Amino acid sequence: MIRVAIDGPAGVGKSSTSKALAKYYGFAYLDTGAMYRACAWWCLKQGIDLDAAEIDERVVTETVGEFFTGDHFDISVDPDNPSVTADGEDISEAIRSSEVSTHVSKVSGIIPVRNVLIAAQRAYIAREASADSFSGGLGVVAEGRDITTVVAPDAEVRVLLTAREEVRQARRTGQSVKGVGAEDVAARDRIDSKTTNFTTAADGVTTIDNSDLTFEQTFDALVELVDAAIEEQEYERYAANLEGYDLDEGDEALIGRDGPSGASDGQSGPKQVGVLAIVGRPNVGKSSLVNRILGKRVAVVEDTPGVTRDRVSYDAEWAGTDFKLVDTGGWEVDVEGIDSAIASQAEVAVNLADAVVLVVDGQVGLTDTDERIVRMLRASGKPVTLAVNKIDDRESEYLTAEFWKLGLGEPHSISAMHGRGVGDLLDEALDSLRKAKKTSGYLTPYGLRRVALVGRPNVGKSSLLNQLAHEERTVVNDLAGTTRDPVDEIIDIDGEDWLFIDTAGIKRRQHKLQGAEYYSSLRTQAAIERSELALVLFDASVPISDQDLKVMSSAVDAGRAIVLVFNKWDAMDEFDKQRLERLWMTEFDRVTWAQRVNLSAKTGWHTNRLAKAMREALESWDKRIPTGKLNAFLGQLQSAHPHPLRGGKQPRILFATQASTRPPRFVIFATGFLEHGYRRYIERSLREEFGFEGTPIQISVNIREKKKRK
């Protein structure tokens, strides 16, 4: 049985919210305020002068006592019909009259009268524990004064509803009807405060100030408290099944209480910062410099021109200054194909930046391409800091002199590989960034849902990213493996920001990969681990390969929420579509719980369906099933379909709990081993009952035996 006690001053909405709460759960509803009003009405009917200067408290107490013990009074606990009767007469409307409202505080202020009422109220509450009561033993919601501290101080849920005085007065005025004046809540407070405290909550009582809340918001807050109390009772009931079994310390920690829900951290908003772009011709060491600035190896580096192909941005910090650092592909002139696209991305990065670091190769010396880059930079009007890389020692310093010809001021000799001179370069670059007086970038906000675009090479990951962003964020080319570094992009979809991570295609035989492809593969796996949701892309226009399925499995094995995206669907004929449907029943049997979205990243066809699938998958990934509800469901499941007998014994589920979310992980305590087929049956049943569409489910079984008698 759940007892809910709701206290608070006049005008906070105790009655309306309490009745709604009782109806929601099938509980009884006890209006203790109506009991006090009935007492005042009865005293007036008996001719007692409640306006007298000195009220005879003994006479009032005896009259009220007779009212309750003489079978004159009755109150309905049906929230749909909370009527009050006296000698069989319905006085529900009469006790709301202005005359009764004026005198009720005088009656309730008499301590002996309160004692009589408290005893009666406790009796009504206790009656609901019976199976033949109105609620059938489920519970009761009692509202009124002293409920949380005197009448039901041990109630499972105790709440003090409160609101500002002007708000409560406005509500009372709005509730007044013809012939009944609005109650003066301030005057009522002054009288009631002589005998009860309703302004501050006692220990263990939850305060809900609903001054600025709607009725629905107040109700939802109460539902959350009652759900928690129900869960606690159910948990204790099912956990009792483990009594008498050997449990270790890990078990005690696991079943002690539900773990954290795994909600992501929030942030008020993204921080606006300056953007510093690193540009230069291919293979001068731009990505090495980026790694040195960030203090970790995030950009793929190889002694081969053209490893970096997209403009990739990172959150960075130097000497207390936060900024956005952009790595770019090598800028070249008079190039075609993918090299042209890479150069275009570098120019875009310069245009979007607030300041630029131009990196040149000190060992190679000044080139025509360096000079043409300088002309492009001058045209952009952005402040430029010149870095002469690969000056590994003092003896090589003379190599920087040649670069004074570029007219960009002092060349800074650095060694990105060894870190030599990088600090001085950054001091100069950030000084120019501050002088630019522009802050075009934002640090990546905490709390964004993180989505990794994964798939084998050339399935359209970058095309989909560009389509969702409605601009060319990454290089797209028919050449497989265009993307090398994971590319983070914040994209607004239906008014909500998402952090997308475009990854390199995962190749089948990773142990045979070399150089940039090897490091790209490692970073792709790290990007999956960093994400919450994986959009697994397939090229629907070609047969599904083992490589496709391996990519999908890597995301599932990482425990990420999944949405399967079949790209280039518009290029398929009816025969191909039927072929894919047959494959879905065979090759994709492991992920039949995942949502499918058929689309065209190139044209944008059906890309608007992605957001709904993504939200539903993440909602399932975050979902937690209360322990009581989980055990009740598994109990019904076990009764309907018990585990098969093995060796003359039948394993029995004792208790289950959801140990964690992201992904949902369930731990089952059983008397014996549960076979794989039965675990699959449990998983299918959990999905049918609770959803979990779009997320893997992990089920562990802990076998426990009875304690041996000593």
Side-chain angles (χ1 to χ4, degrees):
M1 172 182 169
I2 297 293
R3 294 163 297 175
V4 183
I6 301 180
D7 202 343
V12 294
K14 294 191 302 295
S15 296
S16 55
T17 51
S18 296
K19 281 187 281 189
L21 198 65
K23 285 192 282 188
Y24 181 78
Y25 287 102
F27 290 176
Y29 163 68
L30 181 63
D31 181 0
T32 62
M35 297 175 72
Y36 281 105
R37 287 178 171 273
C39 291
W41 178 87
W42 182 257
C43 288
L44 291 170
K45 183 178 182 181
Q46 302 307 309
I48 297 176
D49 185 4
L50 297 179
D51 291 318
E54 292 291 335
I55 298 176
D56 191 333
E57 294 185 358
R58 182 184 61 82
V59 173
V60 172
T61 303
E62 290 177 352
T63 302
V64 170
E66 170 61 22
F67 185 43
F68 281 98
T69 60
D71 293 331
H72 300 287
F73 170 83
D74 193 21
I75 185 170
S76 168
V77 293
D78 182 351
D80 286 318
N81 183 32
S83 59
V84 180
T85 58
D87 291 334
E89 175 189 355
D90 190 334
I91 59 171
S92 303
E93 293 297 325
I95 63 175
R96 302 290 173 182
S97 67
S98 57
E99 182 182 20
V100 171
S101 297
T102 302
H103 296 96
V104 64
S105 292
K106 296 181 179 181
V107 174
S108 62
I110 300 172
I111 299 301
V113 170
R114 297 188 75 83
N115 292 335
V116 172
L117 268 294
I118 289 169
Q121 291 158 10
R122 286 176 175 170
Y124 275 100
I125 292 173
R127 185 184 303 169
E128 289 307 313
S130 172
D132 59 358
S133 64
F134 173 83
S135 69
L138 293 178
V140 59
V141 180
E143 55 98 352
R145 301 291 168 75
D146 289 336
I147 290 294
T148 59
T149 54
V150 179
V151 179
D154 56 347
E156 286 72 24
V157 179
R158 296 187 295 156
V159 178
L160 174 66
L161 273 185
T162 187
R164 296 188 297 273
E165 182 180 305
E166 66 272 17
V167 175
R168 295 189 288 116
Q169 185 61 62
R171 290 172 181 171
R172 274 292 194 247
T173 301
Q175 292 169 358
S176 62
V177 295
K178 186 176 181 180
V180 181
E183 181 180 27
D184 185 341
V185 296
R188 174 79 179 272
D189 289 348
R190 286 192 295 273
I191 297 173
D192 289 350
S193 63
K194 296 177 182 179
T195 55
T196 183
N197 175 30
F198 48 81
T199 57
T200 57
D203 290 342
V205 177
T206 302
T207 300
I208 297 178
D209 188 326
N210 65 9
S211 302
D212 303 310
L213 301 180
T214 63
F215 174 85
E216 290 75 16
Q217 290 171 327
T218 303
F219 178 76
D220 288 343
L222 291 170
V223 166
E224 187 174 341
L225 294 173
V226 177
D227 280 348
I230 294 173
E231 163 66 6
E232 183 65 25
Q233 278 195 356
E234 290 290 288
Y235 170 82
E236 292 176 357
R237 180 162 71 93
Y238 287 108
N241 292 336
L242 293 173
E243 292 180 4
Y245 284 85
D246 277 323
L247 302 176
D248 56 30
E249 291 183 3
D251 294 338
E252 297 290 352
L254 184 63
I255 68 176
R257 58 188 175 90
D258 280 345
S261 64
S264 56
D265 295 328
Q267 179 173 296
S268 58
K271 180 180 178 181
Q272 195 167 10
V273 294
V275 178
L276 183 65
I278 309 295
V279 300
R281 57 185 177 79
N283 210 35
V284 295
K286 298 183 297 298
S287 294
S288 294
L289 178 58
V290 167
N291 288 338
R292 176 62 59 183
I293 293 172
L294 297 175
K296 53 187 175 181
R297 190 182 176 103
V298 293
V300 175
V301 176
E302 188 180 14
D303 191 21
T304 303
V307 171
T308 301
R309 291 171 172 172
D310 297 301
R311 51 185 163 98
V312 187
S313 60
Y314 305 96
D315 292 342
E317 182 270 337
W318 176 255
T321 300
D322 292 317
F323 61 100
K324 203 77 176 180
L325 185 66
V326 180
D327 187 16
T328 65
W331 194 89
E332 296 183 89
V333 295
D334 300 329
V335 289
E336 298 179 351
I338 187 170
D339 293 327
S340 174
I342 293 169
S344 297
Q345 286 291 317
E347 290 192 40
V348 170
V350 170
N351 290 328
L352 295 178
D354 301 313
V356 176
V357 172
L358 171 61
V359 183
V360 295
D361 189 331
Q363 298 296 324
V364 173
L366 184 61
T367 68
D368 290 342
T369 301
D370 291 328
E371 292 178 343
R372 297 187 70 167
I373 293 175
V374 170
R375 288 199 289 272
M376 182 267 288
L377 292 176
R378 284 204 179 101
S380 73
K382 302 297 171 69
V384 180
T385 305
L386 179 60
V388 183
N389 192 26
K390 304 182 184 178
I391 307 298
D392 298 335
D393 49 45
R394 185 178 295 275
E395 287 72 20
S396 303
E397 288 279 355
Y398 73 93
L399 295 173
T400 63
E402 181 183 12
F403 293 94
W404 280 96
K405 297 178 183 178
L406 293 175
L408 296 176
E410 180 183 0
H412 293 267
S413 59
I414 68 167
S415 173
M417 181 165 293
H418 303 296
R420 183 177 183 272
V422 173
D424 293 337
L425 172 71
L426 275 177
D427 289 338
E428 182 71 22
L430 291 184
D431 186 56
S432 69
L433 190 63
R434 284 187 287 269
K435 290 178 180 177
K437 296 182 180 179
K438 289 182 65 179
T439 49
S440 303
Y442 294 88
L443 295 183
T444 302
Y446 297 113
L448 294 185
R449 304 317 298 251
R450 301 182 300 277
V451 183
L453 293 163
V454 298
R456 62 178 175 80
N458 211 33
V459 294
K461 299 183 293 297
S462 297
S463 296
L464 180 59
L465 182 67
N466 290 337
Q467 183 64 238
L468 294 172
H470 303 295
E471 63 176 291
E472 295 298 315
R473 297 280 186 97
T474 59
V475 173
V476 176
N477 192 272
D478 289 337
L479 173 66
T482 301
T483 301
R484 290 280 175 78
D485 296 287
V487 178
D488 287 13
E489 292 287 352
I490 299 176
I491 295 177
D492 182 308
I493 301 179
D494 298 337
E496 179 182 358
D497 284 340
W498 298 74
L499 179 63
F500 279 81
I501 310 166
D502 186 14
T503 66
I506 298 178
K507 306 214 173 183
R508 180 161 41 183
R509 296 179 178 85
Q510 184 167 315
H511 65 282
K512 292 186 178 181
L513 299 180
Q514 295 179 347
E517 288 186 342
Y518 173 74
Y519 287 112
S520 293
S521 180
L522 292 181
R523 281 165 173 73
T524 296
Q525 193 61 45
I528 293 175
E529 296 290 343
R530 185 160 63 94
S531 70
E532 298 175 313
L533 168 71
L535 291 184
V536 185
L537 271 75
F538 302 87
D539 184 344
S541 65
V542 299
I544 302 298
S545 67
D546 290 341
Q547 188 178 354
D548 286 306
L549 299 177
K550 181 181 178 182
V551 172
M552 179 184 70
S553 294
S554 67
V556 175
D557 293 341
R560 297 302 175 257
I562 303 290
V563 173
L564 304 180
V565 179
F566 288 87
N567 189 24
K568 307 180 185 180
W569 191 263
D570 54 338
M572 297 178 65
D573 57 26
E574 199 59 36
F575 176 80
D576 289 332
K577 292 177 182 178
Q578 292 177 4
R579 169 184 55 79
L580 192 56
E581 291 301 329
R582 289 193 297 270
L583 276 175
W584 179 255
M585 303 305 296
T586 55
E587 302 298 331
F588 291 87
D589 61 318
R590 186 185 179 191
V591 289
T592 52
W593 41 263
Q595 290 199 60
R596 276 174 52 191
V597 179
N598 305 323
L599 53 76
S600 171
K602 185 176 181 179
T603 66
W605 180 75
H606 279 182
T607 53
N608 60 332
R609 297 184 177 184
L610 268 180
K612 180 174 180 290
M614 288 158 54
R615 290 190 180 96
E616 289 178 355
L618 285 170
E619 183 180 333
S620 296
W621 199 58
D622 291 331
K623 183 178 293 186
R624 174 177 294 281
I625 306 302
T627 303
K629 184 179 292 187
L630 174 64
N631 281 273
F633 172 73
L634 290 178
Q636 296 171 359
L637 197 71
Q638 188 172 231
S639 297
H641 300 282
H643 192 285
L645 284 169
R646 290 294 180 266
K649 295 183 178 180
Q650 187 175 56
R652 183 167 57 90
I653 296 175
L654 299 169
F655 179 76
T657 186
Q658 185 173 347
S660 61
T661 59
R662 303 185 166 194
R665 184 172 73 88
F666 298 93
V667 178
I668 296 175
F669 291 85
T671 60
F673 178 76
L674 300 185
E675 294 180 352
H676 178 70
Y678 198 74
R679 295 190 196 194
R680 290 291 301 271
Y681 166 65
I682 291 175
E683 179 182 338
R684 288 195 304 272
S685 301
L686 285 171
R687 292 186 183 281
E688 291 171 2
E689 180 69 17
F690 300 111
F692 292 114
E693 188 173 22
T695 180
I697 290 178
Q698 299 172 355
I699 298 178
S700 303
V701 178
N702 290 351
I703 302 171
R704 295 296 176 259
E705 297 179 349
K706 280 279 191 179
K707 292 179 180 178
K708 295 180 180 179
R709 294 182 179 179
K710 296 181 180 179

